[in-house]
Amino acid sequence: TMNVEHEVGLLVEEIRRLGTRNADGQVSVKFGVLFADEKCANLFEALVGTLKAAKRRKIITYQGELLLQGVHDDVDIMLLQD
């Protein structure tokens, strides 16, 4: 398996690719957009696990603990580091 640091790095790249910048200059993307993206689907074996790891490392933030497809499609995932 790929190491977590590497996966988190890839996640940051994908959030930048798919996300939009808000007024504060922070990049965010909806969970549903990330989840439905074909490249992300092929890249991440466990997207939710990678998101949790990135959140623990304070690289991203989002509301709630566990994100579920469908239920949490509108949850914003925010990049904390640029």
Side-chain angles (χ1 to χ4, degrees):
T1 56
M2 282 199 277
N3 72 29
V4 177
E5 298 299 328
H6 182 68
E7 287 233 331
V8 167
L10 291 174
L11 178 67
V12 168
E13 283 175 34
E14 293 310 303
I15 292 172
R16 283 201 188 114
R17 179 174 68 88
L18 295 166
T20 52
R21 228 169 247 286
N22 66 14
D24 299 327
Q26 284 182 304
V27 177
S28 74
V29 65
K30 300 270 184 218
F31 175 64
V33 172
L34 209 55
F35 199 93
D37 183 73
E38 200 174 321
K39 187 178 173 199
C40 287
N42 294 329
L43 213 50
F44 303 107
E45 230 166 274
L47 177 61
V48 171
T50 305
L51 286 166
K52 279 180 83 168
K55 188 178 183 180
R56 261 195 312 264
R57 286 168 172 74
K58 310 260 189 282
I59 293 166
I60 62 166
T61 188
Y62 53 83
Q63 289 282 275
E65 273 301 298
L66 189 66
L67 295 175
L68 300 171
Q69 190 204 2
V71 188
H72 298 114
D73 282 357
D74 272 343
V75 172
D76 282 310
I77 297 166
M78 185 104 49
L79 215 48
L80 296 174
Q81 303 174 346
D82 217 3

